[in-house]
């Protein structure tokens, strides 16, 4: 904990962490808010699912592109424009009654215009603290984001069901605008200038670490999405047990992330931490319908969750040029979005076939696959035990007068 106290005393760190968490808070609200609202509007879960799919596709496509734009036009202009378009699309979804095709189009626009706050803040971090503090900052970031996934779904579900789904979406818009403005106007965002990348888009995927983090993210986040679907299927959408079990999962991740901030990261760290997730997830199969058991074993799984994510973030930072960091994190985020969609889909088919146990089997298979990939290709991760996680400096040729 002394490491985090020192970190939070660094000028600007506490402010930028709070601002980016607020700006990213809508990401934990929008899916459930849209699902409930579109289903109320159309009386069709198929229509609601199609709108959500359009949002996810838009986010997956835009992530690397909009992240790269920040190096060309600057963070503030890009984030401001995208926040306004995102808010307008969600406001339209909340207020208009339209055919499903129009709702799908608006969902696609909302997905495409999702502000890349996550890529932006993780690009700022290396310029905000000294190299010795950087790995601890990535661990803190990976841990605190669990607050989004604990609090946001509860808030939006309460508003949508108990008050109004329209109000729930308008609250999402308000938080996106206010949180986005707080982040955009933060001095740190104005001080950091991302150099324009000279490489073609996608060139950063030639870096083994970026590819590994993206592929592992697909499997890793897919596993989390599958286990969440299994918990909801076991206890029902409105069951108190579902929310409590998933909250314990997130609290385990928060505890693990905070506890691992000072542990040096080796090329094997990702595989080791994923093994903890695999152990906890695998134990769910022993007693699939007991909330006490599931809470206990998913807490164990959570202990490895944020630490594994922190290794991938720090390793990516240490493996690319500063001008490439935003795009690299954009690709990783795209992989995680794809993983969440595929994990939920596979779990849904498994639940229809064999019940909640099928979702847990899918989850175990995905996280074991992620651990195996991390172990087999561990040389693709840098050894951060004796070096920092700072990005590679951008260099260019200088003219020489002879």
């Amino acid at each position: 904990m002394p490491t985090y106290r020192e970190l939070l005393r660094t000028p600007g760190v506490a402010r930028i962490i709070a601002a980016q968490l607020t700006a990213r808070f809508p990401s934990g609200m929008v899916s459930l808010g849209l699902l409930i609202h579109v289903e109320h509007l159309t009386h069709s879960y198929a229509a609601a699912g199609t709108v959500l799919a359009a949002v996810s596709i838009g986010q997956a496509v835009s992530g690397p592109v909009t992240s790269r734009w920040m190096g060309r036009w600057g963070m503030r202009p890009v984030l401001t424009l995208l926040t306004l378009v995102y808010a307008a699309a969600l406001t339209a979804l909340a207020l208009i009654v339209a055919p499903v095709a129009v709702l799908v189009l608006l969902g696609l626009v909302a997905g495409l215009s999702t502000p890349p706050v996550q890529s932006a803040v993780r690009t700022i971090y290396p310029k905000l603290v000294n190299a010795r503090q950087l790995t601890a900052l990535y661990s803190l970031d990976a841990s605190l984001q669990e607050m989004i996934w604990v609090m946001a779904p509860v808030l939006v579900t309460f508003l949508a069901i108990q008050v109004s789904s329209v109000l729930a979406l308008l609250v999402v818009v308000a938080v996106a605008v206010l949180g986005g403005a707080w982040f955009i106007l933060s001095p740190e965002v104005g001080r950091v200038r991302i150099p324009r990348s000279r490489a073609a888009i996608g060139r950063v995927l030639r870096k083994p670490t970026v590819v590994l983090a993206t592929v592992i993210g697909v499997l890793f986040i897919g596993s989390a999405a599958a286990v969440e679907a299994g918990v909801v299927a076991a206890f029902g959408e409105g069951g108190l047990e579902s929310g409590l079990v998933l909250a314990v999962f997130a609290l385990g991740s928060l505890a693990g992330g905070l506890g691992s901030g000072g542990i040096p990261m080796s090329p094997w760290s990702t595989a080791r931490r994923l093994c903890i997730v695999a152990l906890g997830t695998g134990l769910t199969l022993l007693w699939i319908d007991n909330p006490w058991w599931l809470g206990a074993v998913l807490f164990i799984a959570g202990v490895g969750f944020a630490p594994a994510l922190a290794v991938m973030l720090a390793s990516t930072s240490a493996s690319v040029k500063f001008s490439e960091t935003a795009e690299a994190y954009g690709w990783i985020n795209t992989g995680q979005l794809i993983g969440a969609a595929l994990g939920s889909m596979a779990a849904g088919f498994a639940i229809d076939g064999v019940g909640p146990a099928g979702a847990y089997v899918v989850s175990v298979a995905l996280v074991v696959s992620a651990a195996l990939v991390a172990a087999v290709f561990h040389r693709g991760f840098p050894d951060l035990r004796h070096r920092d996680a700072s990005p590679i400096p951008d260099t260019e040729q200088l003219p020489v007068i002879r």
Side-chain angles (χ1 to χ4, degrees), residues 345-374:
M345 181 179 68
F349 281 111
I351 291 167
D352 287 342
V354 298
Y360 298 140
V361 171
V362 170
S363 180
V364 172
L366 288 172
V367 73
V368 168
S369 299
L372 287 173
V373 170

mmCIF file of all heavy atoms in Angstrom, residues 345-374:
data_model
loop_
_atom_site.group_PDB
_atom_site.id
_atom_site.type_symbol
_atom_site.label_atom_id
_atom_site.label_comp_id
_atom_site.label_asym_id
_atom_site.label_seq_id
_atom_site.Cartn_x
_atom_site.Cartn_y
_atom_site.Cartn_z
ATOM 1 N N MET A 345 -21.969 -15.454 -26.646
ATOM 2 C CA MET A 345 -22.688 -16.257 -27.632
ATOM 3 C C MET A 345 -22.485 -17.749 -27.381
ATOM 4 O O MET A 345 -23.452 -18.524 -27.356
ATOM 5 C CB MET A 345 -22.215 -15.899 -29.039
ATOM 6 C CG MET A 345 -22.940 -16.667 -30.145
ATOM 7 S SD MET A 345 -22.374 -16.184 -31.802
ATOM 8 C CE MET A 345 -20.694 -16.833 -31.777
ATOM 9 N N ALA A 346 -21.223 -18.168 -27.179
ATOM 10 C CA ALA A 346 -20.944 -19.582 -26.934
ATOM 11 C C ALA A 346 -21.613 -20.057 -25.652
ATOM 12 O O ALA A 346 -22.168 -21.167 -25.598
ATOM 13 C CB ALA A 346 -19.427 -19.804 -26.857
ATOM 14 N N ALA A 347 -21.597 -19.219 -24.621
ATOM 15 C CA ALA A 347 -22.248 -19.585 -23.362
ATOM 16 C C ALA A 347 -23.756 -19.714 -23.548
ATOM 17 O O ALA A 347 -24.383 -20.604 -22.966
ATOM 18 C CB ALA A 347 -21.925 -18.539 -22.296
ATOM 19 N N GLY A 348 -24.330 -18.814 -24.369
ATOM 20 C CA GLY A 348 -25.770 -18.893 -24.621
ATOM 21 C C GLY A 348 -26.171 -20.212 -25.257
ATOM 22 O O GLY A 348 -27.152 -20.854 -24.837
ATOM 23 N N PHE A 349 -25.415 -20.639 -26.270
ATOM 24 C CA PHE A 349 -25.708 -21.936 -26.896
ATOM 25 C C PHE A 349 -25.533 -23.079 -25.894
ATOM 26 O O PHE A 349 -26.329 -24.028 -25.860
ATOM 27 C CB PHE A 349 -24.787 -22.160 -28.105
ATOM 28 C CG PHE A 349 -25.211 -21.416 -29.336
ATOM 29 C CD1 PHE A 349 -24.467 -20.355 -29.828
ATOM 30 C CD2 PHE A 349 -26.365 -21.769 -30.018
ATOM 31 C CE1 PHE A 349 -24.855 -19.660 -30.961
ATOM 32 C CE2 PHE A 349 -26.772 -21.091 -31.156
ATOM 33 C CZ PHE A 349 -26.013 -20.024 -31.629
ATOM 34 N N ALA A 350 -24.487 -22.991 -25.069
ATOM 35 C CA ALA A 350 -24.222 -24.046 -24.086
ATOM 36 C C ALA A 350 -25.328 -24.109 -23.040
ATOM 37 O O ALA A 350 -25.748 -25.198 -22.620
ATOM 38 C CB ALA A 350 -22.869 -23.820 -23.417
ATOM 39 N N ILE A 351 -25.819 -22.947 -22.618
ATOM 40 C CA ILE A 351 -26.906 -22.906 -21.626
ATOM 41 C C ILE A 351 -28.172 -23.514 -22.206
ATOM 42 O O ILE A 351 -28.878 -24.288 -21.546
ATOM 43 C CB ILE A 351 -27.145 -21.459 -21.161
ATOM 44 C CG1 ILE A 351 -25.956 -20.973 -20.327
ATOM 45 C CG2 ILE A 351 -28.429 -21.350 -20.350
ATOM 46 C CD1 ILE A 351 -25.936 -19.475 -20.084
ATOM 47 N N ASP A 352 -28.481 -23.178 -23.461
ATOM 48 C CA ASP A 352 -29.658 -23.759 -24.107
ATOM 49 C C ASP A 352 -29.524 -25.279 -24.225
ATOM 50 O O ASP A 352 -30.520 -26.003 -24.157
ATOM 51 C CB ASP A 352 -29.849 -23.153 -25.501
ATOM 52 C CG ASP A 352 -30.356 -21.715 -25.438
ATOM 53 O OD1 ASP A 352 -30.866 -21.324 -24.372
ATOM 54 O OD2 ASP A 352 -30.245 -20.999 -26.442
ATOM 55 N N GLY A 353 -28.283 -25.760 -24.401
ATOM 56 C CA GLY A 353 -28.076 -27.193 -24.591
ATOM 57 C C GLY A 353 -28.053 -27.992 -23.310
ATOM 58 O O GLY A 353 -28.749 -29.010 -23.199
ATOM 59 N N VAL A 354 -27.270 -27.532 -22.317
ATOM 60 C CA VAL A 354 -27.100 -28.355 -21.111
ATOM 61 C C VAL A 354 -27.351 -27.587 -19.819
ATOM 62 O O VAL A 354 -27.193 -28.151 -18.733
ATOM 63 C CB VAL A 354 -25.675 -28.975 -21.068
ATOM 64 C CG1 VAL A 354 -25.458 -29.879 -22.254
ATOM 65 C CG2 VAL A 354 -24.608 -27.885 -21.028
ATOM 66 N N GLY A 355 -27.671 -26.319 -19.887
ATOM 67 C CA GLY A 355 -27.914 -25.551 -18.681
ATOM 68 C C GLY A 355 -26.712 -24.725 -18.276
ATOM 69 O O GLY A 355 -25.701 -24.657 -18.993
ATOM 70 N N PRO A 356 -26.781 -24.084 -17.090
ATOM 71 C CA PRO A 356 -25.694 -23.201 -16.641
ATOM 72 C C PRO A 356 -24.323 -23.865 -16.620
ATOM 73 O O PRO A 356 -23.307 -23.198 -16.841
ATOM 74 C CB PRO A 356 -26.135 -22.806 -15.227
ATOM 75 C CG PRO A 356 -27.616 -22.934 -15.238
ATOM 76 C CD PRO A 356 -27.912 -24.085 -16.149
ATOM 77 N N ALA A 357 -24.275 -25.173 -16.353
ATOM 78 C CA ALA A 357 -22.982 -25.869 -16.323
ATOM 79 C C ALA A 357 -22.246 -25.729 -17.654
ATOM 80 O O ALA A 357 -21.018 -25.660 -17.692
ATOM 81 C CB ALA A 357 -23.175 -27.345 -15.985
ATOM 82 N N GLY A 358 -23.005 -25.669 -18.746
ATOM 83 C CA GLY A 358 -22.391 -25.523 -20.060
ATOM 84 C C GLY A 358 -21.622 -24.223 -20.186
ATOM 85 O O GLY A 358 -20.542 -24.176 -20.790
ATOM 86 N N ALA A 359 -22.157 -23.142 -19.595
ATOM 87 C CA ALA A 359 -21.466 -21.849 -19.647
ATOM 88 C C ALA A 359 -20.152 -21.906 -18.876
ATOM 89 O O ALA A 359 -19.137 -21.342 -19.299
ATOM 90 C CB ALA A 359 -22.358 -20.748 -19.086
ATOM 91 N N TYR A 360 -20.157 -22.604 -17.733
ATOM 92 C CA TYR A 360 -18.929 -22.722 -16.953
ATOM 93 C C TYR A 360 -17.874 -23.539 -17.706
ATOM 94 O O TYR A 360 -16.680 -23.245 -17.635
ATOM 95 C CB TYR A 360 -19.219 -23.356 -15.596
ATOM 96 C CG TYR A 360 -20.170 -22.560 -14.727
ATOM 97 C CD1 TYR A 360 -21.138 -23.188 -13.960
ATOM 98 C CD2 TYR A 360 -20.097 -21.169 -14.685
ATOM 99 C CE1 TYR A 360 -22.012 -22.465 -13.166
ATOM 100 C CE2 TYR A 360 -20.972 -20.439 -13.897
ATOM 101 C CZ TYR A 360 -21.933 -21.085 -13.137
ATOM 102 O OH TYR A 360 -22.791 -20.357 -12.359
ATOM 103 N N VAL A 361 -18.310 -24.561 -18.418
ATOM 104 C CA VAL A 361 -17.375 -25.363 -19.218
ATOM 105 C C VAL A 361 -16.739 -24.493 -20.308
ATOM 106 O O VAL A 361 -15.530 -24.548 -20.540
ATOM 107 C CB VAL A 361 -18.087 -26.575 -19.843
ATOM 108 C CG1 VAL A 361 -17.179 -27.272 -20.847
ATOM 109 C CG2 VAL A 361 -18.516 -27.560 -18.756
ATOM 110 N N VAL A 362 -17.569 -23.680 -20.966
ATOM 111 C CA VAL A 362 -17.052 -22.756 -21.983
ATOM 112 C C VAL A 362 -16.035 -21.805 -21.363
ATOM 113 O O VAL A 362 -14.956 -21.567 -21.915
ATOM 114 C CB VAL A 362 -18.216 -21.962 -22.625
ATOM 115 C CG1 VAL A 362 -17.670 -20.822 -23.496
ATOM 116 C CG2 VAL A 362 -19.087 -22.877 -23.466
ATOM 117 N N SER A 363 -16.369 -21.268 -20.188
ATOM 118 C CA SER A 363 -15.478 -20.335 -19.520
ATOM 119 C C SER A 363 -14.141 -20.981 -19.176
ATOM 120 O O SER A 363 -13.083 -20.400 -19.414
ATOM 121 C CB SER A 363 -16.139 -19.813 -18.239
ATOM 122 O OG SER A 363 -15.295 -18.914 -17.565
ATOM 123 N N VAL A 364 -14.190 -22.200 -18.635
ATOM 124 C CA VAL A 364 -12.955 -22.904 -18.276
ATOM 125 C C VAL A 364 -12.112 -23.167 -19.524
ATOM 126 O O VAL A 364 -10.889 -22.959 -19.527
ATOM 127 C CB VAL A 364 -13.270 -24.225 -17.552
ATOM 128 C CG1 VAL A 364 -11.995 -25.045 -17.344
ATOM 129 C CG2 VAL A 364 -13.933 -23.947 -16.210
ATOM 130 N N ALA A 365 -12.758 -23.606 -20.593
ATOM 131 C CA ALA A 365 -12.027 -23.905 -21.823
ATOM 132 C C ALA A 365 -11.324 -22.664 -22.361
ATOM 133 O O ALA A 365 -10.157 -22.723 -22.799
ATOM 134 C CB ALA A 365 -12.983 -24.470 -22.874
ATOM 135 N N LEU A 366 -11.991 -21.522 -22.301
ATOM 136 C CA LEU A 366 -11.410 -20.289 -22.831
ATOM 137 C C LEU A 366 -10.237 -19.795 -21.982
ATOM 138 O O LEU A 366 -9.190 -19.412 -22.515
ATOM 139 C CB LEU A 366 -12.487 -19.205 -22.928
ATOM 140 C CG LEU A 366 -13.538 -19.391 -24.032
ATOM 141 C CD1 LEU A 366 -14.644 -18.361 -23.898
ATOM 142 C CD2 LEU A 366 -12.893 -19.303 -25.413
ATOM 143 N N VAL A 367 -10.399 -19.815 -20.654
ATOM 144 C CA VAL A 367 -9.321 -19.283 -19.825
ATOM 145 C C VAL A 367 -8.124 -20.232 -19.794
ATOM 146 O O VAL A 367 -6.969 -19.784 -19.736
ATOM 147 C CB VAL A 367 -9.826 -18.976 -18.394
ATOM 148 C CG1 VAL A 367 -10.065 -20.235 -17.587
ATOM 149 C CG2 VAL A 367 -8.835 -18.062 -17.670
ATOM 150 N N VAL A 368 -8.363 -21.545 -19.873
ATOM 151 C CA VAL A 368 -7.244 -22.486 -19.968
ATOM 152 C C VAL A 368 -6.501 -22.272 -21.282
ATOM 153 O O VAL A 368 -5.264 -22.296 -21.332
ATOM 154 C CB VAL A 368 -7.747 -23.942 -19.840
ATOM 155 C CG1 VAL A 368 -6.648 -24.931 -20.230
ATOM 156 C CG2 VAL A 368 -8.205 -24.214 -18.413
ATOM 157 N N SER A 369 -7.258 -22.021 -22.352
ATOM 158 C CA SER A 369 -6.624 -21.726 -23.641
ATOM 159 C C SER A 369 -5.775 -20.461 -23.556
ATOM 160 O O SER A 369 -4.663 -20.394 -24.094
ATOM 161 C CB SER A 369 -7.688 -21.573 -24.737
ATOM 162 O OG SER A 369 -8.427 -22.767 -24.900
ATOM 163 N N ALA A 370 -6.298 -19.447 -22.867
ATOM 164 C CA ALA A 370 -5.541 -18.202 -22.694
ATOM 165 C C ALA A 370 -4.242 -18.449 -21.929
ATOM 166 O O ALA A 370 -3.177 -17.931 -22.296
ATOM 167 C CB ALA A 370 -6.395 -17.168 -21.960
ATOM 168 N N ALA A 371 -4.324 -19.251 -20.862
ATOM 169 C CA ALA A 371 -3.126 -19.557 -20.070
ATOM 170 C C ALA A 371 -2.110 -20.345 -20.896
ATOM 171 O O ALA A 371 -0.897 -20.106 -20.797
ATOM 172 C CB ALA A 371 -3.520 -20.342 -18.819
ATOM 173 N N LEU A 372 -2.597 -21.268 -21.713
ATOM 174 C CA LEU A 372 -1.699 -22.055 -22.559
ATOM 175 C C LEU A 372 -0.993 -21.177 -23.590
ATOM 176 O O LEU A 372 0.208 -21.317 -23.833
ATOM 177 C CB LEU A 372 -2.468 -23.181 -23.250
ATOM 178 C CG LEU A 372 -2.893 -24.348 -22.364
ATOM 179 C CD1 LEU A 372 -3.785 -25.315 -23.139
ATOM 180 C CD2 LEU A 372 -1.663 -25.088 -21.822
ATOM 181 N N VAL A 373 -1.736 -20.277 -24.222
ATOM 182 C CA VAL A 373 -1.135 -19.357 -25.190
ATOM 183 C C VAL A 373 -0.060 -18.510 -24.501
ATOM 184 O O VAL A 373 1.045 -18.322 -25.023
ATOM 185 C CB VAL A 373 -2.213 -18.450 -25.829
ATOM 186 C CG1 VAL A 373 -1.564 -17.337 -26.651
ATOM 187 C CG2 VAL A 373 -3.143 -19.273 -26.710
ATOM 188 N N ALA A 374 -0.392 -17.996 -23.300
ATOM 189 C CA ALA A 374 0.577 -17.170 -22.574
ATOM 190 C C ALA A 374 1.819 -17.960 -22.185
ATOM 191 O O ALA A 374 2.935 -17.419 -22.181
ATOM 192 C CB ALA A 374 -0.085 -16.587 -21.322
#
